[in-house]
Amino acid sequence: MNAADRSTGNGGARNDAPQVVPPAGGRRMVQIGTPRTHASVRRKGGRVSWRTVPAFAAGVLATLAAAVLVLCRGPARADAPATDRIVRWWAAAWLRAAGARVTVHGREHVRADTTYVVVSNHQSNLDPMVHLRALPLSLRILAMRELFRIWLLGRALRAIGMIEVDRASPDLGQIGQAAARCLAAGHSLLVYPEGGTTPDEVIGEFKDGAFVIAVTSQVPVLPVAIDGTCRIWPPGRTAIHGGQVRIVVGSPLPTSGLAHHDIPALREQARDVICSARRALDTTTS
């Protein structure tokens, strides 16, 4: 639970399901979490925030609970819909605790019965929670090896089917095989092709890995732009302040018939879509 939540006027009940927002400029939007008018007043004190301690406490408890639930179900049930519900609940718990209000634009571009390689810019450690909650997909993630070394969490990540990546020395063969198994099982794969967070909100150059996976497996690339998480939980810092997050889902980029020599063009096309979406978001708030 979010320690900063106030009563919503209906006996304190919360509705954390995606909420339809009236179209703006002809674009359909979905809002997740507490609307701005019900958000608590927040106080910032430089590098600290009153929200930080309760947010981390709630997040850690949700992580422990989700890990135990996943491990009790066993690796054989990693592909069951209930496992995805546990993962989405965990993501929602973190977002609520962090005070993140998520608005999704372009969700109509996503088909729940289609497998994608989802690529997105990367602003914060909060990004995976936003994507897991906002996209109506069974998502697995290319996650850094350090997370797999954390007691209990690492076992749960492996049981779910998340893919371990050593950023210093990635084993491309192992990653490719794990990604192929993930996609063949019907899961979409979330990749941050910048290879890390960007502290200044500038979108960095994309690496080829995600697009190699997409072309090899002949699944479409789903470009997604994210904005706002770096102001809620800045990279390299522990302070959490709450705030607005916006997601823009672009049209899927087909890979059917593409070969290895097409990967650079596909990579740049995806980056151009994400950069354009970010610029559009900046325009709407300026």
Side-chain angles (χ1 to χ4, degrees):
M1 295 293 292
N2 186 345
D5 287 334
R6 301 291 188 264
S7 170
T8 59
N10 58 354
R14 291 288 304 253
N15 180 7
D16 199 44
Q19 303 170 14
V20 176
V21 178
R27 300 180 68 177
R28 183 174 179 271
M29 297 185 294
V30 178
Q31 184 163 317
I32 301 172
T34 310
R36 181 179 295 275
T37 53
H38 296 299
S40 59
V41 177
R42 56 189 172 92
R43 178 184 59 187
K44 295 183 180 180
R47 296 180 63 85
V48 298
S49 166
W50 62 267
R51 187 187 296 275
T52 301
V53 172
F56 273 106
V60 169
L61 289 174
T63 300
L64 289 172
V68 170
L69 288 171
V70 166
L71 292 173
C72 286
R73 292 181 57 81
R77 304 182 69 180
D79 297 329
T83 300
D84 288 318
R85 288 195 291 270
I86 293 171
V87 172
R88 289 170 63 82
W89 170 83
W90 168 81
W94 262 104
L95 294 175
R96 181 181 294 185
R101 303 179 300 275
V102 182
T103 303
V104 184
H105 307 253
R107 196 172 182 178
E108 66 275 10
H109 294 144
V110 185
R111 293 186 54 180
D113 59 349
T114 301
T115 299
Y116 303 95
V117 172
V118 181
V119 295
S120 174
N121 60 309
H122 197 9
Q123 292 192 337
S124 166
N125 289 335
L126 198 65
D127 293 351
M129 294 78 146
V130 175
H131 288 113
L132 286 166
R133 182 60 178 161
L135 299 176
L137 297 168
S138 175
L139 272 181
R140 300 297 182 262
I141 303 174
L142 258 64
M144 61 183 183
R145 172 165 291 178
E146 290 80 358
L147 294 176
F148 290 80
R149 293 173 176 168
I150 300 174
W151 176 79
L152 197 64
L153 176 61
R155 291 180 58 193
L157 291 173
R158 292 186 181 93
I160 293 169
M162 302 300 183
I163 299 175
E164 182 177 355
V165 177
D166 182 354
R167 292 183 296 178
S169 181
D171 185 338
L172 300 182
Q174 181 270 330
I175 294 171
Q177 293 174 9
R181 289 194 298 269
C182 169
L183 295 168
H187 306 297
S188 291
L189 186 63
L190 172 62
V191 185
Y192 297 109
E194 292 168 283
T197 55
T198 51
D200 54 4
E201 300 187 45
V202 175
I203 298 176
E205 295 300 318
F206 283 6
K207 302 180 186 300
D208 286 345
F211 309 98
V212 172
I213 292 170
V215 169
T216 300
S217 297
Q218 293 286 280
V219 299
V221 171
L222 186 68
V224 177
I226 188 169
D227 181 66
T229 51
C230 60
R231 293 183 289 277
I232 295 175
W233 186 359
R237 294 175 57 181
T238 55
I240 295 178
H241 298 290
Q244 185 72 43
V245 180
R246 294 176 299 170
I247 289 270
V248 179
V249 183
S251 298
L253 307 177
T255 61
S256 179
L258 297 187
H260 192 273
H261 64 266
D262 297 307
I263 288 171
L266 178 64
R267 180 194 66 217
E268 293 309 308
Q269 184 181 8
R271 187 177 183 276
D272 287 346
V273 170
I274 293 171
C275 288
S276 296
R278 273 293 316 282
R279 284 194 294 269
L281 286 175
D282 292 339
T283 300
T284 60
T285 56
S286 61

mmCIF file of all heavy atoms in Angstrom, residues 1-33:
data_model
loop_
_atom_site.group_PDB
_atom_site.id
_atom_site.type_symbol
_atom_site.label_atom_id
_atom_site.label_comp_id
_atom_site.label_asym_id
_atom_site.label_seq_id
_atom_site.Cartn_x
_atom_site.Cartn_y
_atom_site.Cartn_z
ATOM 1 N N MET A 1 0.833 -1.196 0.000
ATOM 2 C CA MET A 1 0.000 0.000 0.000
ATOM 3 C C MET A 1 0.870 1.249 0.000
ATOM 4 O O MET A 1 1.939 1.273 0.585
ATOM 5 C CB MET A 1 -0.909 0.028 1.235
ATOM 6 C CG MET A 1 -1.929 -1.092 1.266
ATOM 7 S SD MET A 1 -3.148 -0.903 -0.063
ATOM 8 C CE MET A 1 -3.999 0.551 0.509
ATOM 9 N N ASN A 2 0.367 2.344 -0.612
ATOM 10 C CA ASN A 2 1.082 3.606 -0.648
ATOM 11 C C ASN A 2 0.845 4.356 0.647
ATOM 12 O O ASN A 2 -0.282 4.697 0.982
ATOM 13 C CB ASN A 2 0.564 4.426 -1.839
ATOM 14 C CG ASN A 2 1.344 5.680 -2.035
ATOM 15 O OD1 ASN A 2 2.080 6.105 -1.152
ATOM 16 N ND2 ASN A 2 1.181 6.290 -3.206
ATOM 17 N N ALA A 3 1.905 4.604 1.405
ATOM 18 C CA ALA A 3 1.755 5.243 2.694
ATOM 19 C C ALA A 3 1.235 6.659 2.582
ATOM 20 O O ALA A 3 0.800 7.236 3.581
ATOM 21 C CB ALA A 3 3.101 5.250 3.420
ATOM 22 N N ALA A 4 1.279 7.251 1.382
ATOM 23 C CA ALA A 4 0.865 8.642 1.223
ATOM 24 C C ALA A 4 -0.530 8.790 0.665
ATOM 25 O O ALA A 4 -0.992 9.896 0.440
ATOM 26 C CB ALA A 4 1.853 9.377 0.316
ATOM 27 N N ASP A 5 -1.245 7.679 0.403
ATOM 28 C CA ASP A 5 -2.563 7.756 -0.195
ATOM 29 C C ASP A 5 -3.560 8.396 0.766
ATOM 30 O O ASP A 5 -3.551 8.134 1.966
ATOM 31 C CB ASP A 5 -3.067 6.362 -0.591
ATOM 32 C CG ASP A 5 -2.346 5.847 -1.805
ATOM 33 O OD1 ASP A 5 -1.870 6.663 -2.601
ATOM 34 O OD2 ASP A 5 -2.248 4.623 -1.926
ATOM 35 N N ARG A 6 -4.437 9.196 0.247
ATOM 36 C CA ARG A 6 -5.538 9.774 1.014
ATOM 37 C C ARG A 6 -6.833 9.101 0.599
ATOM 38 O O ARG A 6 -6.911 8.416 -0.403
ATOM 39 C CB ARG A 6 -5.633 11.290 0.758
ATOM 40 C CG ARG A 6 -4.350 12.044 1.130
ATOM 41 C CD ARG A 6 -4.169 12.029 2.647
ATOM 42 N NE ARG A 6 -3.057 12.891 3.015
ATOM 43 C CZ ARG A 6 -1.829 12.468 3.217
ATOM 44 N NH1 ARG A 6 -1.524 11.176 3.057
ATOM 45 N NH2 ARG A 6 -0.880 13.307 3.570
ATOM 46 N N SER A 7 -7.880 9.350 1.345
ATOM 47 C CA SER A 7 -9.184 8.782 1.011
ATOM 48 C C SER A 7 -9.633 9.292 -0.337
ATOM 49 O O SER A 7 -9.452 10.460 -0.677
ATOM 50 C CB SER A 7 -10.211 9.178 2.083
ATOM 51 O OG SER A 7 -11.510 8.835 1.669
ATOM 52 N N THR A 8 -10.277 8.451 -1.121
ATOM 53 C CA THR A 8 -10.739 8.845 -2.450
ATOM 54 C C THR A 8 -12.202 9.242 -2.453
ATOM 55 O O THR A 8 -12.798 9.432 -3.500
ATOM 56 C CB THR A 8 -10.531 7.680 -3.434
ATOM 57 O OG1 THR A 8 -11.253 6.560 -2.965
ATOM 58 C CG2 THR A 8 -9.069 7.356 -3.563
ATOM 59 N N GLY A 9 -12.797 9.318 -1.270
ATOM 60 C CA GLY A 9 -14.184 9.745 -1.221
ATOM 61 C C GLY A 9 -15.153 8.610 -1.352
ATOM 62 O O GLY A 9 -16.368 8.824 -1.411
ATOM 63 N N ASN A 10 -14.732 7.374 -1.415
ATOM 64 C CA ASN A 10 -15.635 6.236 -1.510
ATOM 65 C C ASN A 10 -15.309 5.238 -0.420
ATOM 66 O O ASN A 10 -15.189 4.052 -0.634
ATOM 67 C CB ASN A 10 -15.555 5.579 -2.890
ATOM 68 C CG ASN A 10 -14.160 5.127 -3.204
ATOM 69 O OD1 ASN A 10 -13.224 5.404 -2.452
ATOM 70 N ND2 ASN A 10 -14.001 4.411 -4.304
ATOM 71 N N GLY A 11 -15.092 5.779 0.792
ATOM 72 C CA GLY A 11 -14.791 4.909 1.908
ATOM 73 C C GLY A 11 -13.361 4.457 1.913
ATOM 74 O O GLY A 11 -13.007 3.492 2.567
ATOM 75 N N GLY A 12 -12.486 5.163 1.149
ATOM 76 C CA GLY A 12 -11.073 4.808 1.140
ATOM 77 C C GLY A 12 -10.740 3.710 0.172
ATOM 78 O O GLY A 12 -9.617 3.269 0.080
ATOM 79 N N ALA A 13 -11.723 3.221 -0.611
ATOM 80 C CA ALA A 13 -11.460 2.130 -1.553
ATOM 81 C C ALA A 13 -10.602 2.631 -2.684
ATOM 82 O O ALA A 13 -10.718 3.760 -3.136
ATOM 83 C CB ALA A 13 -12.781 1.572 -2.094
ATOM 84 N N ARG A 14 -9.726 1.787 -3.159
ATOM 85 C CA ARG A 14 -8.831 2.113 -4.261
ATOM 86 C C ARG A 14 -9.200 1.291 -5.481
ATOM 87 O O ARG A 14 -9.603 0.151 -5.370
ATOM 88 C CB ARG A 14 -7.379 1.823 -3.882
ATOM 89 C CG ARG A 14 -6.807 2.740 -2.839
ATOM 90 C CD ARG A 14 -6.575 4.088 -3.450
ATOM 91 N NE ARG A 14 -5.725 3.911 -4.616
ATOM 92 C CZ ARG A 14 -4.459 4.272 -4.640
ATOM 93 N NH1 ARG A 14 -3.906 4.838 -3.613
ATOM 94 N NH2 ARG A 14 -3.717 4.078 -5.725
ATOM 95 N N ASN A 15 -9.052 1.895 -6.651
ATOM 96 C CA ASN A 15 -9.224 1.153 -7.885
ATOM 97 C C ASN A 15 -7.956 1.305 -8.683
ATOM 98 O O ASN A 15 -7.693 2.351 -9.263
ATOM 99 C CB ASN A 15 -10.421 1.702 -8.674
ATOM 100 C CG ASN A 15 -10.635 0.953 -9.969
ATOM 101 O OD1 ASN A 15 -9.971 -0.055 -10.222
ATOM 102 N ND2 ASN A 15 -11.544 1.435 -10.785
ATOM 103 N N ASP A 16 -7.121 0.268 -8.703
ATOM 104 C CA ASP A 16 -5.812 0.366 -9.348
ATOM 105 C C ASP A 16 -5.841 -0.153 -10.772
ATOM 106 O O ASP A 16 -4.823 -0.294 -11.411
ATOM 107 C CB ASP A 16 -4.788 -0.431 -8.525
ATOM 108 C CG ASP A 16 -3.374 0.006 -8.850
ATOM 109 O OD1 ASP A 16 -3.148 1.223 -8.946
ATOM 110 O OD2 ASP A 16 -2.530 -0.881 -9.021
ATOM 111 N N ALA A 17 -7.044 -0.485 -11.273
ATOM 112 C CA ALA A 17 -7.144 -0.965 -12.647
ATOM 113 C C ALA A 17 -6.973 0.208 -13.599
ATOM 114 O O ALA A 17 -7.220 1.362 -13.243
ATOM 115 C CB ALA A 17 -8.508 -1.632 -12.869
ATOM 116 N N PRO A 18 -6.535 -0.063 -14.846
ATOM 117 C CA PRO A 18 -6.408 1.017 -15.818
ATOM 118 C C PRO A 18 -7.710 1.753 -16.002
ATOM 119 O O PRO A 18 -8.780 1.142 -16.105
ATOM 120 C CB PRO A 18 -5.988 0.284 -17.096
ATOM 121 C CG PRO A 18 -5.329 -0.953 -16.608
ATOM 122 C CD PRO A 18 -6.080 -1.346 -15.377
ATOM 123 N N GLN A 19 -7.662 3.094 -16.027
ATOM 124 C CA GLN A 19 -8.841 3.917 -16.188
ATOM 125 C C GLN A 19 -8.802 4.613 -17.535
ATOM 126 O O GLN A 19 -7.778 5.162 -17.921
ATOM 127 C CB GLN A 19 -8.892 4.980 -15.080
ATOM 128 C CG GLN A 19 -8.859 4.384 -13.682
ATOM 129 C CD GLN A 19 -8.661 5.448 -12.638
ATOM 130 O OE1 GLN A 19 -8.803 6.646 -12.919
ATOM 131 N NE2 GLN A 19 -8.335 5.045 -11.426
ATOM 132 N N VAL A 20 -9.927 4.598 -18.261
ATOM 133 C CA VAL A 20 -9.989 5.258 -19.556
ATOM 134 C C VAL A 20 -10.071 6.748 -19.339
ATOM 135 O O VAL A 20 -10.869 7.233 -18.553
ATOM 136 C CB VAL A 20 -11.201 4.769 -20.366
ATOM 137 C CG1 VAL A 20 -11.311 5.528 -21.681
ATOM 138 C CG2 VAL A 20 -11.109 3.279 -20.618
ATOM 139 N N VAL A 21 -9.197 7.482 -20.011
ATOM 140 C CA VAL A 21 -9.166 8.935 -19.953
ATOM 141 C C VAL A 21 -9.797 9.474 -21.220
ATOM 142 O O VAL A 21 -9.556 8.941 -22.305
ATOM 143 C CB VAL A 21 -7.705 9.436 -19.829
ATOM 144 C CG1 VAL A 21 -7.652 10.953 -19.811
ATOM 145 C CG2 VAL A 21 -7.078 8.864 -18.569
ATOM 146 N N PRO A 22 -10.646 10.515 -21.139
ATOM 147 C CA PRO A 22 -11.249 11.065 -22.363
ATOM 148 C C PRO A 22 -10.199 11.378 -23.401
ATOM 149 O O PRO A 22 -9.129 11.898 -23.071
ATOM 150 C CB PRO A 22 -11.935 12.353 -21.852
ATOM 151 C CG PRO A 22 -12.210 12.079 -20.417
ATOM 152 C CD PRO A 22 -11.058 11.227 -19.941
ATOM 153 N N PRO A 23 -10.472 11.041 -24.680
ATOM 154 C CA PRO A 23 -9.470 11.237 -25.728
ATOM 155 C C PRO A 23 -9.009 12.680 -25.807
ATOM 156 O O PRO A 23 -9.793 13.605 -25.683
ATOM 157 C CB PRO A 23 -10.215 10.816 -27.016
ATOM 158 C CG PRO A 23 -11.325 9.949 -26.540
ATOM 159 C CD PRO A 23 -11.710 10.468 -25.187
ATOM 160 N N ALA A 24 -7.705 12.844 -26.006
ATOM 161 C CA ALA A 24 -7.123 14.171 -26.203
ATOM 162 C C ALA A 24 -6.451 14.195 -27.561
ATOM 163 O O ALA A 24 -5.530 13.442 -27.803
ATOM 164 C CB ALA A 24 -6.110 14.479 -25.110
ATOM 165 N N GLY A 25 -6.917 15.077 -28.414
ATOM 166 C CA GLY A 25 -6.330 15.164 -29.744
ATOM 167 C C GLY A 25 -6.575 13.918 -30.569
ATOM 168 O O GLY A 25 -5.793 13.578 -31.439
ATOM 169 N N GLY A 26 -7.696 13.208 -30.246
ATOM 170 C CA GLY A 26 -8.037 12.035 -31.024
ATOM 171 C C GLY A 26 -7.291 10.791 -30.621
ATOM 172 O O GLY A 26 -7.434 9.755 -31.239
ATOM 173 N N ARG A 27 -6.479 10.820 -29.550
ATOM 174 C CA ARG A 27 -5.685 9.667 -29.154
ATOM 175 C C ARG A 27 -6.294 9.050 -27.914
ATOM 176 O O ARG A 27 -6.630 9.726 -26.955
ATOM 177 C CB ARG A 27 -4.242 10.084 -28.868
ATOM 178 C CG ARG A 27 -3.566 10.711 -30.052
ATOM 179 C CD ARG A 27 -2.159 11.107 -29.729
ATOM 180 N NE ARG A 27 -1.336 9.937 -29.511
ATOM 181 C CZ ARG A 27 -0.039 10.009 -29.258
ATOM 182 N NH1 ARG A 27 0.550 11.167 -29.185
ATOM 183 N NH2 ARG A 27 0.661 8.914 -29.068
ATOM 184 N N ARG A 28 -6.441 7.754 -27.937
ATOM 185 C CA ARG A 28 -7.010 7.047 -26.796
ATOM 186 C C ARG A 28 -5.946 6.890 -25.721
ATOM 187 O O ARG A 28 -4.822 6.539 -25.995
ATOM 188 C CB ARG A 28 -7.522 5.673 -27.229
ATOM 189 C CG ARG A 28 -8.199 4.899 -26.120
ATOM 190 C CD ARG A 28 -8.806 3.632 -26.687
ATOM 191 N NE ARG A 28 -9.451 2.858 -25.646
ATOM 192 C CZ ARG A 28 -8.838 1.934 -24.918
ATOM 193 N NH1 ARG A 28 -7.564 1.701 -25.123
ATOM 194 N NH2 ARG A 28 -9.491 1.253 -23.990
ATOM 195 N N MET A 29 -6.323 7.189 -24.469
ATOM 196 C CA MET A 29 -5.385 7.068 -23.370
ATOM 197 C C MET A 29 -5.994 6.206 -22.278
ATOM 198 O O MET A 29 -7.207 6.150 -22.110
ATOM 199 C CB MET A 29 -5.058 8.447 -22.785
ATOM 200 C CG MET A 29 -4.382 9.393 -23.753
ATOM 201 S SD MET A 29 -3.894 10.929 -22.961
ATOM 202 C CE MET A 29 -5.503 11.622 -22.564
ATOM 203 N N VAL A 30 -5.145 5.525 -21.540
ATOM 204 C CA VAL A 30 -5.555 4.746 -20.383
ATOM 205 C C VAL A 30 -4.736 5.211 -19.205
ATOM 206 O O VAL A 30 -3.517 5.359 -19.310
ATOM 207 C CB VAL A 30 -5.318 3.235 -20.620
ATOM 208 C CG1 VAL A 30 -5.709 2.437 -19.380
ATOM 209 C CG2 VAL A 30 -6.127 2.761 -21.819
ATOM 210 N N GLN A 31 -5.387 5.482 -18.081
ATOM 211 C CA GLN A 31 -4.669 5.940 -16.892
ATOM 212 C C GLN A 31 -4.697 4.868 -15.828
ATOM 213 O O GLN A 31 -5.725 4.234 -15.595
ATOM 214 C CB GLN A 31 -5.286 7.239 -16.358
ATOM 215 C CG GLN A 31 -4.511 7.821 -15.169
ATOM 216 C CD GLN A 31 -4.854 9.264 -14.930
ATOM 217 O OE1 GLN A 31 -4.956 10.049 -15.862
ATOM 218 N NE2 GLN A 31 -5.036 9.627 -13.686
ATOM 219 N N ILE A 32 -3.549 4.643 -15.187
ATOM 220 C CA ILE A 32 -3.407 3.644 -14.153
ATOM 221 C C ILE A 32 -3.058 4.325 -12.852
ATOM 222 O O ILE A 32 -2.176 5.169 -12.812
ATOM 223 C CB ILE A 32 -2.311 2.622 -14.502
ATOM 224 C CG1 ILE A 32 -2.660 1.927 -15.825
ATOM 225 C CG2 ILE A 32 -2.126 1.588 -13.406
ATOM 226 C CD1 ILE A 32 -1.558 1.057 -16.336
ATOM 227 N N GLY A 33 -3.729 3.957 -11.777
ATOM 228 C CA GLY A 33 -3.366 4.482 -10.464
ATOM 229 C C GLY A 33 -4.201 5.677 -10.068
ATOM 230 O O GLY A 33 -5.279 5.921 -10.606
#
